[in-house]
């Protein structure tokens, strides 16, 4: 079945540091890939997405490239801010299956000033 | 404003007392689903619905029921809640199936069963 594996946290960085959160996936078809973000006390918000191989999703300075050859969708940001502190979820969507959205376990990011 | 609305946002209840968490979306979406979020486990799907009167089990359906009598509403029913159902619950919706459809989430409902 489909699955998503992302690096375990928590990740603690200083402001302006470079961020990478690794995400790899297993899917039988050609899924779409997503990063969702959950700020403290809030629901999930879509951060970015990519629907086919080599697509790059980007938003708010975050980027992730859909790499079919390595089945990866790593999240990166060149310079994090305190306001980026949140839990980040990698997810895949393969609507040919019964479960359209499969999530990783989440990675908590804390950015300190 | 496009949104998914859940109620209640916070609830403490006792074992065995039936409760319903409501979910409503104003985007005319066909697809709706419920997830629970637990530490170290991420989000797991409970039930989903592809359209009115069409529902199916997700990964962790035990102890839950759903109904989809109207397109906009998708309530989650706990007939006899137990402490292991203490969790953060999210309702979600999207326009339909197919890759690339963005899924919108509600703000979450914190449920504690004592």
């Amino acid at each position: 079945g489909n699955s998503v594996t992302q690096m375990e946290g928590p990740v603690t960085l200083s402001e302006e540091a470079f961020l990478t959160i690794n995400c790899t996936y297993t899917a039988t078809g050609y899924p779409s890939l997503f990063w969702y973000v959950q700020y403290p006390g809030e629901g999930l918000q879509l951060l970015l997405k990519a629907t086919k191989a080599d697509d790059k999703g980007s938003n708010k300075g975050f980027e992730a490239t859909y790499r079919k050859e390595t089945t990866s969708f790593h999240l990166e940001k060149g310079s994090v801010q305190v306001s980026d502190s949140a839990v980040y979820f990698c997810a895949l969507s393969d609507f040919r299956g019964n479960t359209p959205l499969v999530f990783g376990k989440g990675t908590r990011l804390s950015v300190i000033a | 404003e496009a949104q998914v609305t859940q109620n209640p946002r916070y609830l403490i209840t006792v074992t065995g007392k039936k409760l319903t968490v409501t979910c409503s979306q104003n985007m005319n979406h066909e697809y709706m689903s419920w997830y629970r979020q637990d530490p170290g486990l991420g989000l797991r799907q409970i039930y989903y619905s592809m359209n009115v009167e069409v529902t199916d089990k997700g990964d962790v359906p035990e102890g839950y029921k759903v109904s989809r009598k109207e397109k906009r509403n998708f309530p989650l029913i706990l007939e006899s809640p137990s402490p292991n159902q203490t969790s953060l619950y999210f309702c979600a919706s999207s326009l339909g199936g197919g890759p690339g459809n963005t899924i919108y989430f509600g703000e979450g409902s914190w449920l504690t069963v004592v």
Side-chain angles (χ1 to χ4, degrees):
Chain A
N2 297 338
S3 66
V4 173
T5 302
Q6 60 183 105
M7 63 187 288
E8 294 191 19
V11 174
T12 302
L13 295 174
S14 298
E15 210 165 21
E16 299 183 4
F18 184 86
L19 168 71
T20 299
I21 300 178
N22 290 337
C23 172
T24 57
Y25 68 89
T26 302
T28 53
Y30 300 92
S32 294
L33 301 174
F34 305 82
W35 278 100
Y36 280 84
V37 58
Q38 183 180 29
Y39 296 104
E42 298 185 13
L44 279 79
Q45 302 173 26
L46 178 65
L47 181 60
L48 53 86
K49 69 178 182 181
T51 58
K52 60 183 188 297
D54 299 325
D55 268 3
K56 176 186 284 188
S58 61
N59 186 24
K60 299 181 180 180
F62 291 89
E63 292 183 341
T65 301
Y66 189 146
R67 301 283 189 205
K68 189 169 184 292
E69 64 276 13
T70 55
T71 61
S72 65
F73 193 55
H74 304 320
L75 182 68
E76 297 182 334
K77 186 175 185 182
S79 176
V80 294
Q81 305 300 312
V82 172
S83 57
D84 294 327
S85 297
V87 181
Y88 293 83
F89 292 91
C90 185
L92 72 82
S93 166
D94 181 356
F95 281 88
R96 295 184 301 169
N98 285 333
T99 304
L101 202 63
V102 176
F103 286 90
K105 293 183 179 181
T107 302
R108 182 176 298 279
L109 170 66
S110 295
V111 180
I112 54 178
Chain B
E1 179 188 352
Q3 58 185 6
V4 179
T5 305
Q6 303 177 217
N7 278 296
R9 294 288 315 282
Y10 304 92
L11 179 65
I12 300 175
T13 190
V14 296
T15 299
K17 184 177 181 182
K18 180 180 178 179
L19 69 92
T20 299
V21 186
T22 64
C23 174
S24 180
Q25 49 91 6
N26 63 359
M27 296 169 278
N28 202 34
H29 283 171
E30 291 186 347
Y31 176 84
M32 297 185 74
S33 66
W34 277 101
Y35 291 84
R36 60 178 289 174
Q37 181 182 6
D38 301 290
L41 296 177
L43 280 87
R44 296 176 292 168
Q45 192 178 55
I46 303 170
Y47 268 95
Y48 66 97
S49 170
M50 298 298 286
N51 213 326
V52 175
E53 301 292 2
V54 180
T55 64
D56 210 341
K57 297 177 180 179
D59 295 325
V60 288
E62 294 78 20
Y64 304 95
K65 287 185 179 180
V66 293
S67 69
R68 188 87 183 275
K69 292 183 170 53
E70 308 165 279
K71 200 171 189 179
R72 65 182 291 126
N73 296 323
F74 190 48
L76 179 70
I77 303 157
L78 286 73
E79 293 273 2
S80 182
S82 61
N84 64 11
Q85 292 179 296
T86 293
S87 187
L88 173 59
Y89 291 87
F90 288 103
C91 182
S93 75
S94 69
L95 188 59
N101 274 285
T102 298
I103 295 182
Y104 296 85
F105 285 84
E107 293 186 320
S109 296
W110 286 95
L111 171 64
T112 301
V113 183
V114 298

